[in-house]
Amino acid sequence: MFARHSTNINIQMRLLKCLVMLQLLVLVSGVEAQFYWPVTFDSRWITDTHIDSTICFTSVSCNGNNCTAAAVINFDPDNYSISNQRIALYRSGDGGRSWYEQPHNLKFSLSEIVDGLIKIQQIDSLNAVAIGDTNVFVRTSDGGITWELQTIQGPHRMNDIHFSNPNDGVICFYGSIYPLRTTSDGGKHWIQAPFGGDYIVQAHSYGNGKFRWFKYPFGPFYTTTNNFKTVDSTAMIVDSLQDSLWSHRLNTKCTFGNGDTILAYGKYWINDLWLGNGSIQRSIDGGQSWEEPVTFPTDRITQIDYTTSLDRDTIFAAGLYSNNYLLLSTDKGRSWTADTIITNTDFIYHPCFGLAMPADGHPIAIFSVTTYVSRSSLTKESSSKLGLIGYPAKIAYYTSIYPNPATNMVTIESIAESYPMMIVDMLGRIVYQSTIPNEKMQINTSHFPSGIYNVIINFKGTNFSAGKFIILGH
């Protein structure tokens, strides 16, 4: 857990003075400085017994193991006035295991961005962008050493931002006649897109003039492939349970993949009850057609609000009243199961306000104690091996095979300790057999012919694939 040290206000004020001095040093001398605050998940930002300040995380994003998170810090838990608050930015280079605060000279008040920085995108290791809930746009191109602030002309509330690369991006404003702004120079200049439409809540930049956006709450999805010279639209999302349009299904958000895969999600009410079931459904043709929606028990999750990236086989989802639950898909969103996020804190989780996936495959989530973001924790999933042994899909997910492609040696690391393992070629012939040890195993492949090989693990009498690797010519 990204946690608060239980120190007194005097210590915190000394830290803040140190931070201010470092910021002044950057301004006066031009020296690039980072204020390192080596916070780990073994300490505490919030506990049940002592709270002398509160931290509210508002967004998080990862690209590889480079992650950025935003928060609003309040230094008087009994007085949530703007004068007692400031916006903080945090950086992790190890997939969210440890974080440090990044000083910034961004000049805006919380009266201008009531909910803080509501959306961050870590574009690559150096570039990140974020928006406030009004017209505030910030970016860094040097890994967070410096941040730039810009205001974008438009309606009051910005809702989403996405960049396909450090230069090409799109922002959408909610409740606007002309909701989209695009940039091709990294956000230095923004152009109003020639598209009229209300209640556009999310947008995605694919690069090379292709954009896609979603109208709340049932669609349609719109697509342009020629920088808005023409725009195609889909029908509204069709519910395969055959509900009437406004009756029981609400798609609050969606996630776009790099191709034509889209996940739309929200909640499904049963008998018009307020506490519904979390619901998620998938399209693989840009929203033209939809697979049957998947719903989840009310005691697990009542509304889905976030997913990790669609551009890998394993996807996590979370939302309202998660209570430590994450939803897990190991087949790119085709099917889902309930999972539990294992943490080292007694913090009581309810709504999820952010979800990101670093390169190590252990998701990072923002959870709050209430549906209003007043206190929250930034938590990294740290599943134990014992808790995963019963799930073949997880065994496959947590099995690493490298290097891949290989020549003379392959290393296999897996949580499936003491289970039989075999390697078969593309004709199904067994070329190697062993048992998964409690440490990584190295296999001499110098005698393997060139080709593709499948690693098969036997789990309680059932064989399943834990991954493939390629042998290049020796």
Side-chain angles (χ1 to χ4, degrees), residues 224-301:
T224 179
T225 58
N226 52 17
N227 204 24
F228 297 93
K229 291 180 181 178
T230 59
V231 174
D232 297 322
S233 65
T234 68
M236 291 186 178
I237 297 175
V238 177
D239 181 5
S240 63
L241 297 182
Q242 298 181 348
D243 286 333
S244 61
L245 184 61
W246 298 102
S247 59
H248 294 304
R249 186 166 301 284
L250 174 65
N251 291 298
T252 59
K253 292 183 180 180
C254 67
T255 301
F256 300 94
N258 284 335
D260 287 331
T261 299
I262 305 172
L263 291 182
Y265 40 90
K267 71 160 53 181
Y268 178 75
W269 283 282
I270 299 177
N271 299 324
D272 294 322
L273 296 176
W274 181 78
L275 285 177
N277 295 352
S279 173
I280 190 167
Q281 59 192 120
R282 187 180 78 150
S283 171
I284 58 174
D285 55 12
Q288 298 292 334
S289 61
W290 293 87
E291 297 172 355
E292 183 175 348
V294 179
T295 58
F296 304 92
T298 301
D299 62 345
R300 294 294 179 91
I301 184 169

Side-chain angles (χ1 to χ4, degrees), residues 87 106-109 112-114 116-119 130-139 148-153 155-158 161 171 173:
I87 287 181
L106 303 176
K107 303 298 182 183
F108 50 71
S109 69
E112 296 174 313
I113 49 173
V114 178
L117 297 175
I118 61 171
K119 183 70 178 288
I131 58 171
D133 53 340
T134 56
N135 59 351
V136 170
F137 166 76
V138 299
R139 72 160 299 143
E148 302 172 2
L149 170 67
Q150 184 184 7
T151 56
I152 301 176
Q153 296 300 319
H156 177 70
R157 181 178 178 84
M158 289 194 291
I161 183 172
I171 282 177
F173 293 83

Side-chain angles (χ1 to χ4, degrees), residues 170-443:
V170 60
I171 282 177
C172 73
F173 293 83
Y174 181 77
S176 168
I177 297 177
Y178 292 98
L180 302 176
R181 307 289 187 274
T182 64
T183 181
S184 59
D185 58 8
K188 296 178 181 178
H189 302 90
W190 292 88
I191 299 174
Q192 179 175 288
F195 170 81
D198 207 352
Y199 301 107
I200 302 301
V201 292
Q202 286 177 270
H204 191 87
S205 170
Y206 295 85
N208 298 318
K210 181 178 179 179
F211 301 91
R212 184 170 280 149
W213 55 102
F214 168 58
K215 181 177 180 179
Y216 173 89
F218 302 106
F221 285 83
Y222 299 92
T223 302
T224 179
T225 58
N226 52 17
N227 204 24
F228 297 93
K229 291 180 181 178
T230 59
V231 174
D232 297 322
S233 65
T234 68
M236 291 186 178
I237 297 175
V238 177
D239 181 5
S240 63
L241 297 182
Q242 298 181 348
D243 286 333
S244 61
L245 184 61
W246 298 102
S247 59
H248 294 304
R249 186 166 301 284
L250 174 65
N251 291 298
T252 59
K253 292 183 180 180
C254 67
T255 301
F256 300 94
N258 284 335
D260 287 331
T261 299
I262 305 172
L263 291 182
Y265 40 90
K267 71 160 53 181
Y268 178 75
W269 283 282
I270 299 177
N271 299 324
D272 294 322
L273 296 176
W274 181 78
L275 285 177
N277 295 352
S279 173
I280 190 167
Q281 59 192 120
R282 187 180 78 150
S283 171
I284 58 174
D285 55 12
Q288 298 292 334
S289 61
W290 293 87
E291 297 172 355
E292 183 175 348
V294 179
T295 58
F296 304 92
T298 301
D299 62 345
R300 294 294 179 91
I301 184 169
T302 61
Q303 178 172 303
I304 299 173
D305 293 313
Y306 298 94
T307 75
T308 56
S309 170
L310 308 189
D311 301 321
R312 55 195 303 171
D313 290 342
T314 298
I315 306 170
F316 288 89
L320 189 62
Y321 296 113
S322 303
N323 295 321
N324 288 39
Y325 287 111
L326 292 178
L327 304 177
L328 169 66
S329 173
T330 58
D331 54 11
K332 294 184 178 293
R334 182 181 295 107
S335 61
W336 294 83
T337 57
D339 190 21
T340 301
I341 187 167
I342 302 173
T343 65
N344 59 353
T345 175
D346 53 4
F347 187 76
I348 300 175
Y349 301 131
H350 287 294
C352 177
F353 284 94
L355 194 60
M357 176 81 86
D360 65 8
H362 294 271
I364 301 170
I366 298 173
F367 287 102
S368 177
V369 292
T370 67
T371 54
Y372 300 98
V373 185
S374 56
R375 302 202 314 264
S376 65
S377 70
L378 185 65
T379 304
K380 184 173 177 63
E381 188 258 5
S382 55
S383 299
S384 65
K385 292 183 178 181
L386 181 61
L388 300 180
I389 288 297
Y391 301 94
K394 283 190 175 183
I395 293 176
Y397 178 66
Y398 289 112
T399 297
S400 299
I401 305 170
Y402 58 90
N404 193 6
T407 52
N408 298 321
M409 190 72 66
V410 164
T411 299
I412 299 177
E413 294 184 59
S414 179
I415 62 172
E417 300 170 6
S418 301
Y419 283 91
M421 182 275 296
M422 60 184 176
I423 297 175
V424 300
D425 62 16
M426 293 304 293
L427 297 178
R429 296 174 299 194
I430 300 173
V431 298
Y432 181 89
Q433 295 187 78
S434 184
T435 299
I436 300 292
N438 59 5
E439 296 179 354
K440 61 184 179 183
M441 60 188 304
Q442 292 184 321
I443 301 171

Side-chain angles (χ1 to χ4, degrees), residues 21-187:
M21 292 301 293
L22 283 172
Q23 291 174 327
L24 291 175
L25 178 63
V26 173
L27 287 173
V28 174
S29 65
V31 176
E32 295 181 350
Q34 293 276 12
F35 180 63
Y36 285 88
W37 193 342
V39 182
T40 68
F41 289 96
D42 292 327
S43 48
R44 296 283 187 272
W45 277 89
I46 301 174
T47 69
D48 292 335
T49 57
H50 180 70
I51 301 176
D52 53 39
S53 71
T54 58
I55 183 167
C56 166
F57 291 95
T58 55
S59 52
V60 61
S61 177
C62 294
N63 184 294
N65 280 325
N66 297 290
C67 305
T68 300
V72 175
I73 296 179
N74 187 82
F75 293 102
D76 185 354
D78 297 322
N79 182 1
Y80 278 87
S81 68
I82 293 174
S83 60
N84 291 326
Q85 298 175 348
R86 69 177 178 88
I87 287 181
L89 289 161
Y90 297 90
R91 173 83 171 185
S92 174
D94 57 7
R97 289 183 174 84
S98 61
W99 298 79
Y100 59 87
E101 183 174 356
Q102 297 184 314
H104 62 79
N105 300 309
L106 303 176
K107 303 298 182 183
F108 50 71
S109 69
L110 288 175
S111 60
E112 296 174 313
I113 49 173
V114 178
D115 294 327
L117 297 175
I118 61 171
K119 183 70 178 288
I120 284 179
Q121 183 189 354
Q122 186 79 47
I123 303 172
D124 55 30
S125 60
L126 295 178
N127 292 275
V129 293
I131 58 171
D133 53 340
T134 56
N135 59 351
V136 170
F137 166 76
V138 299
R139 72 160 299 143
T140 179
S141 57
D142 53 16
I145 295 174
T146 59
W147 288 83
E148 302 172 2
L149 170 67
Q150 184 184 7
T151 56
I152 301 176
Q153 296 300 319
H156 177 70
R157 181 178 178 84
M158 289 194 291
N159 212 61
D160 195 23
I161 183 172
H162 184 264
F163 277 67
S164 53
N165 56 61
N167 290 321
D168 300 318
V170 60
I171 282 177
C172 73
F173 293 83
Y174 181 77
S176 168
I177 297 177
Y178 292 98
L180 302 176
R181 307 289 187 274
T182 64
T183 181
S184 59
D185 58 8

